[in-house]
C-alpha cells in the first residue's frame, strides 16, 4: 500500500476526558493484576441522536464488560501456568504487540478477549457529543497527513466508508499510523486504512490505530438494526478529531514495547 511520510515534530499530550479522567485507550497500556471496565468520556445519551443510549449502554456495560471479565480470567490462568514469563505480566497492549510470544494454548483466547477489551477502548475514546458549532473535521498533524496521503478529507472519508461497508461479518475498520526512523534518526509517519475481522487488532502487525469503527452488529443493532450504511453515516457525526489527534500523539510518545525473549 502506498504511504506518505511526514516529519514529526516533538509533541507532548496528556489524554484526558472532559472531567479530567484518563481516556479509555490509556488503560490498554496499564500494567495491572486485573483490568476494570473504563468509564466512557461521555454520558450514555451523549451521542444521541446518532448513536442511541440503549445500544451504547449495552455495548459498554454488556459486551465490553464481558470482554474485560474474560480477559482477566485468561491472564490469571496464563500467569499461574507461566510465572516466569515476563510478557504475561505486561500490559494487554504489549501482549498484543508481541502476540507470537503468547503460549499457543492461550493465543486465540488472548486475541479474542484481549482484542475485545483493547479495541473497544480505542473505539469509545474517539467519539464525543456533537454540539451545534462543531465542524467535525480532522485537526493538527492528522489533518496534514490525511490531505497528503489521501488527497482530501472527503477522499479519505469515502475510502474509509467503502472499506467499512466491505467488511464481511463482524470486525473493525481503522485509520492507522506507523512510525519509522530513517538513517539520519529522523522519525516519520506512514498512514493507512485497514480492516480486521472479529477482535483481531492491528497492533499485532505493529500498526498504531488512531481512528476505530466497530462493525460488530452489537455496536448499532438497537437503533440501526441491519442498516450498516446508516450507522456509518451517523458515526461520522460523533468522531472527535481532537481525540484522534491526541491518540496519534500518545502513540508517538509511548515507549516501544520490547521483551528479552523476542
Amino acid at each position: 500500500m502506498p504511504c506518505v511520510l511526514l516529519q514529526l515534530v516533538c509533541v507532548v499530550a496528556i489524554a484526558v476526558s472532559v472531567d479530567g479522567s484518563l481516556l479509555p485507550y490509556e488503560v490498554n497500556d496499564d500494567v495491572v493484576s486485573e483490568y476494570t471496565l473504563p468509564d466512557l468520556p461521555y454520558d450514555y445519551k451523549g451521542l444521541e441522536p446518532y448513536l442511541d443510549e440503549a445500544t451504547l449502554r449495552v455495548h459498554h456495560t454488556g459486551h465490553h464488560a464481558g470482554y474485560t471479565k474474560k480477559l482477566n480470567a485468561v491472564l490469571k490462568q496464563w500467569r499461574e501456568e507461566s510465572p516466569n514469563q515476563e510478557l504475561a505480566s505486561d500490559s494487554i497492549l504489549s501482549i498484543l504487540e508481541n502476540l507470537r510470544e503468547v503460549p499457543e494454548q492461550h493465543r486465540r483466547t488472548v486475541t479474542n478477549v484481549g482484542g475485545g477489551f483493547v479495541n473497544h477502548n480505542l473505539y469509545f475514546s474517539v467519539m464525543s457529543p456533537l454540539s451545534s458549532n462543531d465542524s467535525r473535521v480532522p485537526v493538527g498533524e492528522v489533518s496534514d497527513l490525511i490531505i497528503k496521503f489521501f488527497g482530501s478529507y472527503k477522499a479519505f472519508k469515502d475510502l474509509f466508508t467503502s472499506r467499512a461497508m466491505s467488511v464481511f461479518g463482524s470486525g473493525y475498520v481503522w485509520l492507522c499510523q506507523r512510525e519509522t526512523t530513517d538513517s539520519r534518526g529522523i522519525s516519520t509517519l506512514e498512514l493507512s486504512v485497514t480492516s480486521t475481522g472479529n477482535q483481531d487488532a492491528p497492533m499485532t502487525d505493529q500498526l498504531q490505530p488512531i481512528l476505530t469503527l466497530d462493525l460488530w452488529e452489537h455496536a448499532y443493532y438497537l437503533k440501526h438494526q441491519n442498516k450498516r450504511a446508516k450507522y456509518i453515516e451517523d458515526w461520522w457525526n460523533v468522531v472527535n478529531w481532537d481525540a484522534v489527534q491526541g491518540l496519534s500523539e500518545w502513540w508517538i510518545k509511548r515507549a516501544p514495547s520490547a521483551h528479552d525473549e523476542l
Side-chain angles (χ1 to χ4, degrees):
M1 177 178 290
C3 61
V4 67
L5 303 181
L6 184 68
Q7 184 169 329
L8 300 181
V9 297
C10 180
V11 293
V12 177
I14 299 175
V16 294
S17 66
V18 292
D19 64 359
S21 60
L22 294 178
L23 288 170
Y25 65 75
E26 290 211 315
V27 177
N28 294 338
D29 209 28
D30 280 351
V31 178
V32 294
S33 60
E34 186 172 279
Y35 286 98
T36 58
L37 180 68
D39 292 332
L40 298 185
Y42 37 78
D43 188 81
Y44 288 119
K45 63 179 65 174
L47 303 184
E48 293 270 12
Y50 304 104
L51 300 188
D52 63 295
E53 177 185 359
T55 299
L56 188 59
R57 186 181 296 276
V58 73
H59 194 178
H60 181 237
T61 64
H63 297 281
H64 194 188
Y67 284 117
T68 306
K69 181 178 179 180
K70 292 174 184 177
L71 172 61
N72 287 326
V74 70
L75 289 179
K76 182 176 185 293
Q77 182 180 0
W78 175 18
R79 290 164 178 169
E80 289 175 349
E81 294 174 356
S82 307
N84 296 320
Q85 187 172 8
E86 179 184 352
L87 182 61
S89 297
D90 210 332
S91 71
I92 183 56
L93 181 54
S94 294
I95 289 170
L96 291 176
E97 290 174 327
N98 298 278
L99 190 61
R100 67 183 183 278
E101 296 301 318
V102 177
E104 186 174 356
Q105 67 269 30
H106 298 306
R107 194 174 302 151
R108 176 41 58 185
T109 302
V110 168
T111 299
N112 290 342
V113 299
F117 178 76
V118 167
N119 296 345
H120 280 96
N121 283 336
L122 291 164
Y123 168 72
F124 288 132
S125 292
V126 293
M127 298 185 292
S128 67
L130 178 66
S131 63
S132 59
N133 59 349
D134 277 351
S135 59
R136 296 292 156 145
V137 293
V139 298
E141 206 163 10
V142 167
S143 177
D144 295 337
L145 279 167
I146 286 175
I147 292 172
K148 286 180 177 291
F149 182 52
F150 302 103
S152 67
Y153 171 59
K154 181 181 184 303
F156 156 73
K157 185 177 177 181
D158 289 345
L159 174 63
F160 192 99
T161 298
S162 176
R163 193 66 176 264
M165 288 300 299
S166 70
V167 171
F168 180 78
S170 300
Y172 294 81
V173 64
W174 315 81
L175 174 63
C176 294
Q177 64 186 32
R178 186 195 298 270
E179 187 176 2
T180 61
T181 304
D182 65 18
S183 59
R184 299 168 295 170
I186 298 176
S187 295
T188 57
L189 285 179
E190 302 174 357
L191 209 61
S192 62
V193 171
T194 188
S195 59
T196 57
N198 298 312
Q199 292 296 352
D200 290 357
M203 292 76 74
T204 62
D205 294 322
Q206 308 309 307
L207 295 173
Q208 301 171 343
I210 60 175
L211 179 64
T212 307
L213 175 57
D214 188 344
L215 294 171
W216 285 65
E217 286 192 350
H218 66 234
Y220 59 91
Y221 59 171
L222 295 181
K223 175 180 176 65
H224 296 91
Q225 299 178 350
N226 65 334
K227 301 177 179 66
R228 179 186 284 187
K230 179 58 176 171
Y231 161 63
I232 296 169
E233 177 186 344
D234 283 346
W235 171 79
W236 283 112
N237 290 289
V238 295
V239 172
N240 181 348
W241 287 103
D242 288 323
V244 173
Q245 176 64 35
L247 179 51
S248 173
E249 295 172 3
W250 181 83
W251 281 112
I252 293 168
K253 69 173 183 172
R254 175 179 175 264
S257 173
H259 291 267
D260 293 340
E261 61 263 31
L262 293 182

